[in-house]
Amino acid sequence: KGYNRAGAAMLSLGRYGAAREMYQEALTLDGGKNAVAKKGVAMCWEEERRVKVREMELVKQRQQQQEEEERKMKEEQKREEEKKKEEEKDSTEDDLLDDFFNEVEETNTTTTTATPEP
């Protein structure tokens, strides 16, 4: 009876391995006929299985979150690269326009100074 109580206490604390050991000891002492201990062992196995399944779910969820974060980072990097390319393109176009207008102004200035007035 004491091992059953100790097993129940360990089970309620979430210490499933220790609880199972207590219930196993009760079964050993009672020749395997203790129904409470049998049920306790089964509950321990079930709780341990449930905890492992939950842990696996959490690991999978963390992996999915990491993959999502990596995907978002890659998308952000791609957007930044595209923005940078667009800015470089705009800058090149602006430089070409500036060069063109400078040449036009320079040509106008030389034409104006080189042409004598009548």
Side-chain angles (χ1 to χ4, degrees):
K1 200 171 186 178
Y3 285 108
N4 284 337
R5 289 180 180 167
M10 294 296 154
L11 185 65
S12 69
L13 292 172
R15 297 180 58 194
Y16 307 117
R20 190 176 58 253
E21 289 174 11
M22 292 293 119
Y23 286 125
Q24 291 286 8
E25 188 65 29
L27 284 172
T28 302
L29 293 174
D30 289 344
K33 298 178 184 178
N34 188 325
V36 173
K38 286 181 184 179
K39 184 177 179 181
V41 169
M43 287 173 48
C44 289
W45 284 116
E46 179 60 29
E47 288 299 315
E48 285 178 325
R49 185 197 64 75
R50 186 187 59 77
V51 167
K52 286 181 183 179
V53 167
R54 180 64 182 144
E55 287 174 353
M56 289 173 29
E57 289 172 351
L58 289 173
V59 167
K60 186 176 179 179
Q61 185 179 21
R62 285 187 201 122
Q63 287 174 340
Q64 289 173 344
Q65 288 174 343
Q66 287 176 342
E67 289 170 0
E68 180 66 19
E69 287 174 9
E70 288 174 7
R71 185 188 63 77
K72 286 180 180 180
M73 285 177 56
K74 287 179 182 179
E75 286 178 359
E76 181 64 27
Q77 287 175 344
K78 185 177 177 181
R79 280 193 298 273
E80 287 177 8
E81 288 173 4
E82 289 173 355
K83 183 179 178 181
K84 186 176 179 181
K85 286 179 183 179
E86 188 64 33
E87 288 173 354
E88 288 174 358
K89 180 182 172 187
D90 289 346
S91 175
T92 303
E93 289 174 357
D94 288 344
D95 289 344
L96 289 172
L97 282 172
D98 287 344
D99 290 345
F100 172 76
F101 286 116
N102 287 338
E103 286 179 27
V104 168
E105 187 177 316
E106 190 176 296
T107 304
N108 285 341
T109 305
T110 25
T111 309
T112 308
T113 54
T115 307
E117 289 188 33

